[in-house]
Amino acid sequence: NRLMTPTLGLVDSENCQFQPNGVVASSGFDVLCHALESYTNLNYDDRSPRPKNPKERPAYQGANPIADIWCRVALPMIQKYFIRAANDPEDFEAREQM
């Protein structure tokens, strides 16, 4: 539902310093799954059936040009920082990047 779409998000990267490694690993897998899902999804205009008016389609349904760009940024970041962030609570750079 579009009414449930947030208008503001707060990210406190310092909060992750105090998370157990398992929580950081689970969050990292969530990031990886979202990036892969978005990158491998059908194009937004290839879905069938689809609304006649593009404004009526769900806001986050299907691959789109901007999501592809962010996936190409996210996947190398995950590769670089995921294991470091999950294994070392003192590696603030890795946890902040994840």
Side-chain angles (χ1 to χ4, degrees):
N1 185 322
R2 290 182 187 270
L3 297 176
M4 294 181 67
T5 303
T7 56
L8 176 66
L10 300 176
V11 178
D12 181 3
S13 57
E14 292 180 15
N15 184 45
C16 66
Q17 284 184 300
F18 308 105
Q19 305 261 333
N21 290 1
V23 172
V24 174
S26 295
S27 298
F29 277 116
D30 186 51
V31 171
L32 175 62
C33 289
H34 282 292
L36 289 172
E37 177 186 24
S38 181
Y39 193 67
T40 59
N41 210 343
L42 289 174
N43 285 331
Y44 65 99
D45 56 354
D46 286 344
R47 292 198 171 269
S48 180
R50 63 178 178 260
K52 292 178 184 175
N53 184 339
K55 290 182 180 181
E56 294 173 2
R57 78 175 174 88
Y60 303 110
Q61 184 181 44
N64 61 71
I66 192 66
D68 288 350
I69 292 169
W70 287 118
C71 292
R72 288 186 195 122
V73 171
L75 291 170
M77 288 177 72
I78 294 165
Q79 181 181 13
K80 182 175 181 178
Y81 295 111
F82 185 15
I83 293 173
R84 285 175 44 192
N87 288 331
D88 184 2
E90 301 298 319
D91 190 343
F92 184 64
E93 177 192 23
R95 288 195 170 198
E96 181 179 49
Q97 292 300 314
M98 283 302 297

